[in-house]
Amino acid sequence: MKAEKIQGALGMLVEDPDNESAWEDVESEVVESEGGEELLRILEAARSRHGELHDWETVARLLELELVVTEDEASEAARLRELARIYDEELRRSMDALEVYERAAERGDDDEKVTQAIAGIRQSKERWEDTVQHRVEDAEASDEPAAAARKL
């Protein structure tokens, strides 16, 4: 790994988190690297900085890259839980959070919070689907188009 190259690309992402060229450099360095503590420290520092900036999309993307080079199960589990939390609480993307929580569970993370989060997201999804179904049925039963539109 060329620490200077990845640090330079990560620096560009602070200025412009949508810089695809910088993302490509970071991702290729991570994929081509042999991992290691130095790379993890660099990625963690960048993630911390973006967290301070409340740039949660970048935080999530960096966590995914950290997972590529994370070697021990405890660190992987912690990163998966944090990624799921970011998706759920910061980005409000509950289905992405559910997918990550399920990844954690599949890898043997039996943390009660993971189990509760999975159950909570599934229940919320079911309630939302029920609500939508009832509103559609009410709208379809209405004879007045304006009243039907208000019910949706």
Side-chain angles (χ1 to χ4, degrees):
M1 171 193 72
K2 295 181 181 100
E4 303 82 33
K5 182 175 181 180
I6 198 166
Q7 287 173 328
L10 289 167
M12 287 191 283
L13 291 173
V14 171
E15 298 299 319
D16 179 11
D18 297 321
N19 184 328
E20 283 306 314
S21 175
W23 276 114
E24 288 171 12
D25 287 346
V26 171
E27 290 168 354
S28 68
E29 286 296 313
V30 168
V31 170
E32 294 170 8
S33 78
E34 295 179 14
E37 290 300 314
E38 180 185 13
L39 178 57
L40 275 173
R41 279 193 301 277
I42 292 169
L43 291 171
E44 287 170 344
R47 175 169 50 101
S48 176
R49 177 68 180 129
H50 286 277
E52 292 169 2
L53 298 170
H54 300 276
D55 180 7
W56 302 115
E57 287 289 341
T58 301
V59 169
R61 204 162 169 184
L62 289 168
L63 264 166
E64 288 284 5
L65 291 173
E66 287 177 38
L67 284 163
V68 171
V69 295
T70 299
E71 295 177 2
D72 69 276
E73 291 178 14
S75 294
E76 179 183 35
R79 283 185 174 88
L80 284 169
R81 285 190 302 269
E82 177 63 5
L83 179 58
R85 185 197 70 76
I86 298 288
Y87 280 139
D88 194 28
E89 296 176 14
E90 305 298 346
L91 296 172
R92 303 286 186 216
R93 292 172 27 194
S94 60
M95 297 316 295
D96 289 329
L98 177 61
E99 181 181 310
V100 176
Y101 279 127
E102 288 174 339
R103 277 171 51 194
E106 287 170 8
R107 287 174 169 75
D109 189 343
D110 58 357
D111 185 297
E112 188 174 326
K113 289 180 183 179
V114 170
T115 306
Q116 289 174 349
I118 290 170
I121 292 170
R122 285 181 179 160
Q123 287 174 345
S124 181
K125 181 182 179 219
E126 289 171 11
R127 283 192 304 269
W128 177 248
E129 289 171 348
D130 288 345
T131 300
V132 169
Q133 181 63 33
H134 290 298
R135 288 184 176 245
V136 168
E137 288 170 1
D138 287 348
E140 288 174 345
S142 178
D143 293 335
E144 225 178 288
R150 282 192 303 272
K151 292 180 180 189
L152 293 174

